[in-house]
Every structure is written in C-alpha cells, then in structure tokens.
Amino acid sequence: MSGFSQSSVSSQSSRGTKRKWVPEEDVALVACMVDLHNAGTFNADTGFKAGYLNELEKMLEKVLPNAMLKAKPNLESRIRTLKRDGIMT
C-alpha cells in the first residue's frame, strides 16, 4: 500500500498539513501561467492582475482534473515557493 494519496492531498479538517506537489503538477502550473501571460487578459506591469489565481485554478482543473488544486492556499503558496527557490522570477 502506498502513502501517495494520503501525503499528496491534505484534508480540509487537518489544518497545517502540507500538500506534496509532484513534478507533473509543477509542469502544468508553469505551462498554465505561460498560457495566461500569453493570453494577456491578466497581465500587469509587475506580474499578473488580481483574480489571476482563480483563472489559473480553472485552467489547471482542465489539465489535472483529480488534483483538487485551489487558488488559495495551494497555488498561491506553490508560486511563492517556486519564486523563493529561484525557479520562477
């Protein structure tokens, strides 16, 4: 029995449990962000306009329907982590 399903998604009731991102999800997140930027709808001088996380959530739902990624806290936190680690600027 693998612990993948338990470690990859935190339950709503267990506050503070971290979600484990898999490389496929990171690739999809970055690809969707590039698509969102190229579309131009949410572009701003210093990044994206307010509301882009919700649009990103919808885009990722189509690509990864079973991932259950939410704008807050999942996407917001992962983008912050990728920026901190120098993977995104």
Side-chain angles (χ1 to χ4, degrees), residues 10-79:
S10 64
S11 67
Q12 297 261 338
S13 62
S14 62
R15 187 164 169 84
T17 303
K18 292 187 177 182
R19 184 181 197 288
K20 177 71 176 159
W21 283 70
V22 295
E24 175 189 7
E25 293 169 340
D26 280 337
V27 168
L29 172 61
V30 173
C32 286
M33 289 185 76
V34 169
D35 290 346
L36 192 61
H37 172 76
N38 289 338
T41 310
F42 289 92
N43 291 352
D45 291 340
T46 58
F48 289 107
K49 292 180 184 175
Y52 84 98
L53 285 174
N54 292 328
E55 184 64 24
L56 204 52
E57 180 182 323
K58 292 175 193 172
M59 293 170 75
L60 283 167
E61 177 64 28
K62 292 176 186 172
V63 179
L64 302 168
N66 297 321
M68 299 187 316
L69 294 167
K70 298 297 176 195
K72 290 185 180 185
N74 304 126
L75 301 181
E76 184 179 55
S77 175
R78 189 60 180 169
I79 291 168

